[in-house]
Amino acid sequence: MPYDFQENYVIQEIKKRGAKRILLQFPEGLRYFSSDIVKDISSALPNVEIIVSGDSSWGACDVAEHEARQLGADLIVHYGHSPYTWYYPKFPTIFVETKSTLSLGEKLIKETLDLLLKYKPRKVGLTATVQHVSSIPYVKERLEKEGFQVEVGKPSNPFMHDGQVLGCDYKAGLNVDADLYVNISGGLFHSLGLGLATGKPVIKADPYSDSAEDITKEVYKFLKIRYGKIMQAMSAKSWVIIRGTMTGQDRPMMVKFLNSELKRKGFEVMIVSSRVLNVEVLRNLDRPSIDAFIVTSCPRLPTDDLYGYEKPVLTPGEAKMVINNKLDPYIFPW
């Protein structure tokens, strides 16, 4: 298993808390290893009942509290995330960050340095997802050895690590006055979000492929698509605000603000609650009189799952641009 599941820590915490039935919750990419984790815990604690949640887990905003209560569990072990910026579960929960045990190869470092040399930045901001924050000191040292000035920003809350970014929280990048960012992560989502949030070039250092990629053109391409949605929404008169009901994604004050501001401008507004939002949910409530949607639950939905919808589906930040009739700067995500 190329991740640290902290089995000893989990076992000791279960003992300490006296839990008899526990619910293990994994994001999609880590659930593959769940059977191994169950075997390890059961071997050490044969009298503890273990249930694995088969539902999707999108982040620390999505802790399976309702499921745990329904199953009569004493404890949730939530893998793959650190505690959320704006919400801490009310149900007894252990967060296991599940950091990657992959070492960064020389090929990745060299490719990152080569891409940096093209820009000749005054200052480099260094970020990572929680699985790879342990690699930040090593990458910082290597970049500084080559003469680059590197800064690692402070995150939003004390539960997060220096330099750590979430799909909805890029404060660790925004808190640094950098000309360019290096983000250590797999996939495109977090690096793309970092580029949208900061408006600066981004190099993605991917430990899984052992390669680095300049995704700046991809960010600008994506930004053009988002501006197209915003321009389309500028003429909208009838709006739907999606209020998330998933734990950690319910933002009543944000819904109240957007509802008030849109109505103040004379627009029609309908509020719809949704735990899991997808194209089918929109299609089932859409009709010709509805012009645009705002998703307050998760910024990934408008920019990923729903970006191709025929009507504008905006993040709260984009909606604020429409309300203020101001296209610059681009606001992401909130």
Side-chain angles (χ1 to χ4, degrees), residues 15-291:
K15 284 182 180 178
K16 185 170 71 175
R17 295 167 186 251
K20 296 302 181 184
R21 179 181 294 169
I22 61 173
L23 179 66
L24 307 185
Q25 188 182 19
F26 299 84
E28 297 292 344
L30 296 179
R31 198 177 301 117
Y32 173 81
F33 302 104
S34 62
S35 58
D36 296 319
I37 304 303
V38 170
K39 287 178 184 176
D40 289 343
I41 297 175
S42 295
S43 176
L45 303 171
N47 295 322
V48 172
E49 183 181 356
I50 304 170
I51 303 171
V52 176
S53 173
D55 288 342
S56 298
S57 172
W58 304 108
C61 58
D62 182 20
V63 177
E65 295 180 70
H66 175 74
E67 186 178 352
R69 289 189 183 96
Q70 186 175 358
L71 295 170
D74 308 307
L75 181 68
I76 298 170
V77 183
H78 182 94
Y79 289 93
H81 308 107
S82 57
Y84 192 43
T85 306
W86 297 285
Y87 178 82
Y88 198 90
K90 297 177 178 63
F91 194 92
T93 303
I94 300 170
F95 287 90
V96 182
E97 294 176 342
T98 324
K99 292 177 183 173
S100 170
T101 57
L102 292 173
S103 58
L104 304 190
E106 193 60 33
K107 174 176 173 289
L108 182 149
I109 298 296
K110 183 179 184 307
E111 289 181 3
T112 301
L113 289 169
D114 289 343
L115 290 170
L116 285 173
L117 288 170
K118 288 170 53 181
Y119 285 95
K120 297 183 174 62
R122 175 185 56 86
K123 188 183 294 182
V124 176
L126 184 57
T127 64
T129 55
V130 68
Q131 270 70 48
H132 305 289
V133 289
S134 300
S135 297
I136 286 179
Y138 172 68
V139 175
K140 184 175 187 288
E141 180 185 359
R142 290 296 305 270
L143 298 186
E144 288 178 337
K145 191 176 289 186
E146 297 298 325
F148 293 104
Q149 184 181 349
V150 181
E151 284 201 20
V152 179
K154 293 291 181 182
S156 293
N157 72 47
F159 299 118
M160 294 170 65
H161 302 270
D162 287 358
Q164 182 186 342
V165 294
L166 306 177
C168 58
D169 186 344
Y170 295 95
K171 280 291 193 306
L174 293 167
N175 287 338
V176 173
D177 180 25
D179 304 306
L180 178 148
Y181 291 85
V182 173
N183 185 56
I184 309 168
S185 69
L188 183 63
F189 175 62
H190 292 90
S191 297
L192 178 64
L194 181 64
L196 292 173
T198 63
K200 301 292 178 65
V202 175
I203 293 168
K204 177 173 71 80
D206 189 334
Y208 301 103
S209 64
D210 193 30
S211 63
E213 179 185 1
D214 182 354
I215 67 157
T216 306
K217 288 184 178 178
E218 188 70 23
V219 173
Y220 290 151
K221 176 184 173 183
F222 201 84
L223 194 56
K224 289 178 183 177
I225 295 171
R226 298 315 303 167
Y227 265 111
K229 303 290 183 184
I230 294 166
M231 293 299 294
Q232 199 179 350
M234 284 287 187
S235 58
K237 302 298 182 187
S238 176
W239 294 76
V240 171
I241 300 174
I242 305 293
R243 176 172 173 172
T245 57
M246 191 179 291
T247 42
Q249 291 190 1
D250 185 8
R251 299 181 172 87
M253 296 307 295
M254 184 177 290
V255 171
K256 182 179 179 180
F257 167 79
L258 293 169
N259 184 35
S260 174
E261 289 297 303
L262 290 169
K263 285 183 175 178
R264 186 175 60 81
K265 295 177 76 72
F267 300 150
E268 293 181 5
V269 183
M270 180 169 70
I271 298 172
V272 175
S273 66
S274 179
R275 185 182 187 279
V276 178
L277 184 65
N278 52 41
V279 173
E280 286 71 30
V281 172
L282 289 191
R283 294 220 188 284
N284 284 333
L285 64 90
D286 199 0
R287 59 187 307 173
S289 59
I290 295 173
D291 300 319

